[in-house]
């Protein structure tokens, strides 16, 4: 019985971790699906979301952990992440729209380093705000966090319930937005052929901005979930999480939203199960990142289109 409970516990932990990866990975895949850009700075958009949420709390609701504060923190996070994502597109990527693919890729890495260092150096300079050179405690909101809920011997963290719920709601919203709205159909047309879409009267620049904004909003939700689960945030949190989310997007089939969700959940389960069940020196938490990136290598070698086989159009 204890073995079954342990397995169920690891399943819950894996799904929670996978939901966090999936929220970030969907942002990767939405942008890639439109302009075929691997935005390596997306992990920092996730980090900015967490810091924006903390900023709203420190500036307006310090020491107040009531549930009604939480929607304001979410709005602050979305505002920060969407603002940075749109600014990034306008300043760093749009001027390189027709450049060789290597140029925006290197620019994305540069933007990633710039955002990390900007937060590290300047966040603590704002009066009343803590230094970001080390981890900062993230506010634990009533009801959303607290004692774990025990179901049949399995502990379910409240922040994990929030993360899984956010993934379900965001995925359903994206499905409706992309398949049922005029803007969503314009995004599909742009992803298939931007030149023809432009001839049909679609404002391609506006569609690309919307794609970055959607990715930023999802990254913001993931940033809050990260803070609630781990109880602290730091300026480096986006680097590894961004790489894991990129792995999840590739695993599921980059450019495919459903694939990003599946890839994130599978990656979370693989990490958790490998940590718990692989014996000897190759098991344990020290090796979880190794197993995650081993999955990426295997997928790239044996099934480069990912589990759900997203279509890839080479426009080079």
């Amino acid at each position: 019985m204890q073995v079954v409970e342990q397995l169920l516990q690891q399943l819950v932990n894996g799904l929670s971790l996978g939901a966090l990866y999936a929220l970030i990975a969907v942002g990767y895949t939405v942008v890639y699906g439109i302009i075929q850009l691997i935005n390596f700075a997306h992990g920092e958009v996730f980090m900015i979301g967490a810091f924006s949420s903390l900023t709203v709390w420190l500036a307006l609701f310090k020491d107040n952990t009531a549930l009604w504060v939480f929607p304001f923190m979410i709005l602050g996070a979305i505002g920060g992440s969407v603002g940075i994502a749109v600014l990034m597109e306008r300043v760093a990527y749009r001027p390189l729209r027709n450049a060789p693919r290597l140029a925006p890729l290197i620019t994305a890495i540069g933007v990633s380093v710039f955002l990390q260092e900007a937060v590290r150096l300047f966040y603590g300079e704002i009066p009343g705000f803590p230094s970001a050179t080390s981890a900062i405690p993230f506010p634990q909101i009533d009801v959303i966090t607290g004692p774990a809920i025990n179901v049949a011997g399995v502990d379910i963290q409240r922040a994990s319930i929030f993360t899984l719920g956010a993934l379900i709601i965001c995925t359903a919203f994206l499905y409706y937005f992309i398949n049922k709205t005029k803007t969503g159909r314009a995004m599909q047309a742009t992803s298939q052929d931007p030149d023809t879409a432009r001839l049909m009267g679609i404002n391609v620049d506006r569609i690309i901005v919307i794609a970055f904004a959607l990715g930023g909003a999802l990254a913001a939700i993931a940033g809050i979930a990260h803070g609630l689960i781990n109880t602290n945030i730091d300026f480096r949190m986006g680097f590894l999480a961004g790489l894991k989310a990129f792995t999840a997007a590739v695993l599921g089939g980059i450019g495919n939203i459903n694939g990003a969700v599946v890839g994130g959940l599978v990656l979370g389960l693989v990490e958790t199960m490998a940590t718990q069940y692989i014996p000897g020196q190759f098991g344990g938490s020290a090796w979880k990142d190794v197993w995650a990136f081993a999955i990426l290598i295997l997928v790239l070698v044996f099934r480069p289109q990912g589990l759900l086989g997203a279509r890839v159009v080479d426009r080079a």
Side-chain angles (χ1 to χ4, degrees):
M1 190 63 185
Q2 189 175 3
V3 174
V4 175
E5 287 182 359
Q6 187 183 60
L7 176 62
L8 292 174
Q9 184 68 64
Q10 296 309 317
L11 280 173
V12 169
N13 294 343
L15 288 174
S16 171
L17 181 62
L20 187 63
Y21 291 153
L23 280 169
I24 311 171
V26 170
Y28 264 113
T29 218
V30 167
V31 170
Y32 184 87
I34 299 295
I35 58 173
Q36 278 69 57
L37 167 68
I38 298 173
N39 181 14
F40 280 119
H42 189 65
E44 275 54 57
V45 176
F46 155 76
M47 178 267 290
I48 292 290
F51 273 87
S52 298
S53 178
L54 175 67
T55 300
V56 168
W57 186 77
L58 288 172
L60 303 176
F61 310 106
K62 192 173 183 180
D63 299 328
N64 188 344
T65 58
L67 182 60
W68 65 266
V69 169
F70 197 53
F72 293 97
M73 293 175 65
I74 293 176
L75 290 175
I78 291 175
S81 287
V82 169
I84 286 292
V86 170
L87 187 66
M88 190 188 303
E89 190 280 331
R90 185 66 185 86
V91 174
Y93 299 142
R94 189 177 298 186
L96 301 174
R97 189 75 56 78
N98 298 314
R101 283 188 174 186
L102 194 57
L105 196 65
I106 293 173
T107 301
I109 295 171
V111 171
S112 169
V113 174
F114 172 80
L115 290 174
Q116 280 189 39
E117 291 302 304
V119 171
R120 182 179 72 87
L121 294 173
F122 299 118
Y123 191 78
E125 298 298 318
I126 303 172
F129 285 20
S131 170
T133 54
S134 58
I136 302 174
F138 194 81
Q140 298 299 290
I141 302 300
D142 299 344
V143 182
I144 304 293
T145 59
I149 299 171
N150 190 283
V151 179
V154 176
D155 288 332
I156 304 175
Q157 299 296 328
R158 299 184 184 204
S160 298
I161 296 174
F162 166 77
T163 308
L164 285 165
L167 176 63
I168 293 170
I169 293 171
C170 290
T171 304
F173 167 77
L174 268 181
Y175 175 83
Y176 175 82
F177 182 80
I178 290 177
N179 293 288
K180 303 294 182 183
T181 67
K182 185 178 178 181
T183 303
R185 287 192 287 271
M187 291 178 72
Q188 292 184 49
T190 304
S191 71
Q192 292 171 10
D193 191 331
D195 294 329
T196 304
R198 188 176 283 109
L199 289 173
M200 298 298 290
I202 294 173
N203 186 335
V204 172
D205 287 338
R206 177 174 167 269
I207 293 300
I208 292 172
V209 169
I210 290 173
F212 272 85
L214 282 173
L218 294 174
I221 301 293
I224 293 176
H226 176 95
L228 294 174
I229 292 173
N230 295 284
T231 70
N232 60 66
I233 59 175
D234 67 84
F235 72 95
R236 291 165 296 195
M237 60 185 269
F239 178 73
L240 190 56
L243 285 180
K244 296 283 187 66
F246 172 67
T247 303
V250 173
L251 178 61
I254 193 162
N256 185 315
I257 291 174
N258 294 330
V261 174
V262 171
L265 294 176
V266 169
L267 187 65
L269 287 171
V270 167
E271 265 196 43
T272 307
M273 294 299 173
T275 301
Q276 180 66 36
Y277 291 108
I278 291 181
Q281 61 175 330
F282 297 116
S285 59
W287 281 80
K288 64 185 178 67
D289 296 337
V290 174
W291 293 114
F293 294 121
I295 292 290
L296 174 63
I297 294 170
L298 290 173
V299 168
L300 289 175
V301 170
F302 294 106
R303 192 174 170 80
Q305 74 272 32
L307 296 176
L308 299 191
R311 291 177 299 175
V312 176
V313 179
D314 191 351
R315 299 192 187 115

